[in-house]
């Protein structure tokens, strides 16, 4: 083993807004004091209940992915396990996500974009 994963960092235009979006999905604390990162206008963090840390970094010329357009690919995405896809969809849409692909009937996952345009999946477990 060479390293431990410290956090996942997402570029965006509004770090605080995106941190609040993911907090509404995952719980946890936005901008918890942590000696590893300095907090500021261009950076926000979310320490989740599970221990995962997400960080959000302002990118001046941020352009969201255009899934599935290869001209601006998704570059990465996050998968979130849920018990009820329909209920989880209602909740993420109410918090500012948008549907990218609801999938065929019976498929166990759906694709969304967060408010900054990053793709993520809700996966029934």
């Amino acid at each position: 083993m060479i390293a431990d994963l410290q956090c996942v960092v997402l570029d965006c235009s509004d770090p605080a807004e995106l941190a609040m979006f993911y907090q509404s999905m995952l719980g946890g604390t936005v901008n918890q004091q942590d000696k590893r990162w300095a907090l500021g206008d261009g950076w926000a963090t979310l320490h989740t209940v599970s221990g995962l840390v997400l960080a959000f970094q302002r990118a001046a010329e941020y352009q969201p992915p255009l899934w599935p357009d290869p001209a601006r690919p998704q570059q990465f995405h996050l998968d979130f396990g849920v018990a009820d896809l329909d209920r989880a969809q209602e909740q993420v849409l109410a918090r500012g996500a948008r549907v990218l692909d609801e999938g065929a009937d019976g498929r166990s996952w759906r694709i969304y974009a967060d408010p900054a345009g990053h793709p993520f999946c809700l996966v029934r477990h």
Side-chain angles (χ1 to χ4, degrees), residues 33-81:
Q33 289 297 103
D34 188 317
K35 65 182 180 182
R36 297 173 289 183
W37 303 288
L39 301 174
D41 288 341
W43 182 265
T45 61
L46 173 62
H47 288 70
T48 68
V49 176
S50 70
L52 173 69
V53 178
L54 295 175
F56 310 93
Q57 171 177 269
R58 184 180 322 278
E61 302 290 325
Y62 176 72
Q63 297 245 338
L66 293 175
W67 184 91
D69 184 347
R72 287 198 354 228
Q74 65 180 333
Q75 302 168 10
F76 81 97
H77 72 273
L78 303 170
D79 285 351
F80 300 103

